[in-house]
Amino acid sequence: KAGWTPERMADDKKMLERIFALAADCPVLAEALAWAQQHDMQFFIDRQAMNVGGYYNLGTGVLALVPSSLMSDSRAVEVLVHEIRHAWQDYNGFLAWDDETPNEGNFNDFFINNALIEADATAYGALAAKQLSVSRLAKRSAEKPLAKGERELLSHYSAVAANENAALGKGFLGWFTGKWRPQFYGDYASKFYGKKWGLYDGALPPRNLEFEVMPPSREGINVRDMQNVLRLGVNFSGTKN
């Protein structure tokens, strides 16, 4: 931050405070932010990142949001909770990073680990977005009658948000049956390993992150130990799985 102008820092603070205030209407965001505060996380707005809505930098406690993810409140809480969940995963030793030699790298374990942690974070982000929608629609319905489509959406989202564990479980499994997420992350992982092994000489999708520290090699979650895998499902406060 030493090279940032006071104006930029003031703008960042204003944008972040607006998003943090949404926790009043989103229980999962409130829980995630409470955890982040307890663990001294730092937040900033990355003004140059590409192809990401936000990111958590492993081993640092630093989380970035990009301006495009703040265009709507729903998207903002989804990305913020998703990335705080990655910080939680990092703190609990679940995140893998492999920058070792080809003989020491293991693509299968890396990809399975990555799929598990992304499915977990995606489930939390999706639930946060639904909770915010429920709160907003409920407030509007108290002021004036909702249109039929809005009433149906409120009814559906209310049922989802009412059972957090079921919603998270469905969101987690939905990651694997979706059309683009496994392909997107699989493409990046395979190209990353392909470059390391000399099998792929193309470029990785550009990220252009404003803040990036390459972490040391880490195994992450042991995907062959089911009890260890199940630990991934514990919520921020450690009271539910």
Side-chain angles (χ1 to χ4, degrees):
K1 293 183 178 180
W4 293 356
T5 65
E7 291 77 15
R8 170 179 174 166
M9 287 191 282
D11 286 345
D12 278 10
K13 182 180 180 182
K14 184 177 180 180
M15 283 190 282
L16 289 170
E17 286 179 345
R18 184 183 70 81
I19 301 305
F20 294 162
L22 298 175
D25 293 325
C26 182
V28 168
L29 176 57
E31 188 179 4
L33 286 173
W35 183 91
Q37 184 176 29
Q38 292 168 5
H39 294 82
D40 299 320
M41 285 190 63
Q42 301 295 313
F43 301 84
F44 80 102
I45 307 298
D46 188 320
R47 298 167 184 269
Q48 67 182 39
M50 304 169 58
N51 300 316
V52 293
Y55 59 91
Y56 168 73
N57 208 308
L58 276 70
T60 65
V62 176
L63 187 157
L65 297 173
V66 302
S68 61
S69 68
L70 308 180
M71 299 300 289
S72 76
D73 290 348
S74 178
R75 176 62 175 161
V77 299
E78 181 178 14
V79 172
L80 180 54
V81 170
H82 181 113
E83 299 303 336
I84 294 177
R85 187 64 178 177
H86 282 325
W88 178 92
Q89 294 163 349
D90 187 23
Y91 182 81
N92 285 281
F94 293 128
L95 297 188
W97 180 263
D98 189 359
D99 60 353
E100 295 293 321
T101 63
N103 290 335
E104 295 174 348
N106 185 309
F107 172 81
N108 291 341
D109 283 357
F110 180 88
F111 178 72
I112 294 170
N113 184 299
N114 194 54
L116 289 171
I117 63 104
E118 288 297 340
D120 179 57
T122 298
Y124 272 88
L127 178 60
K130 287 182 174 64
Q131 285 182 343
L132 183 66
S133 295
V134 167
S135 179
R136 293 281 175 85
L137 286 170
K139 287 181 179 179
R140 286 178 53 196
S141 68
E143 298 172 357
K144 63 179 182 179
L146 297 176
K148 179 181 178 182
E150 293 177 320
R151 293 197 305 272
E152 293 174 347
L153 188 64
L154 175 58
S155 176
H156 173 66
Y157 279 2
S158 294
V160 171
N163 191 335
E164 180 178 305
N165 274 18
L168 291 171
K170 186 175 181 179
F172 179 88
L173 294 175
W175 189 94
F176 298 91
T177 57
K179 293 183 178 180
W180 70 270
R181 285 191 175 93
Q183 181 178 350
F184 173 82
Y185 287 101
D187 178 69
Y188 187 87
S190 61
K191 288 177 179 177
F192 172 81
Y193 269 85
K195 287 182 75 70
K196 188 173 73 167
W197 293 334
L199 302 173
Y200 173 72
D201 60 2
L204 292 174
R207 299 289 177 85
N208 197 33
L209 305 184
E210 192 170 359
F211 174 78
E212 185 171 20
V213 176
M214 300 301 285
S217 177
R218 303 169 63 183
E219 293 183 2
I221 190 173
N222 180 358
V223 298
R224 294 178 173 82
D225 182 348
M226 182 53 67
Q227 293 305 312
N228 197 24
V229 172
L230 290 173
R231 288 174 49 234
L232 184 63
V234 176
N235 66 358
F236 285 103
S237 61
T239 59
K240 298 178 182 178
N241 188 321

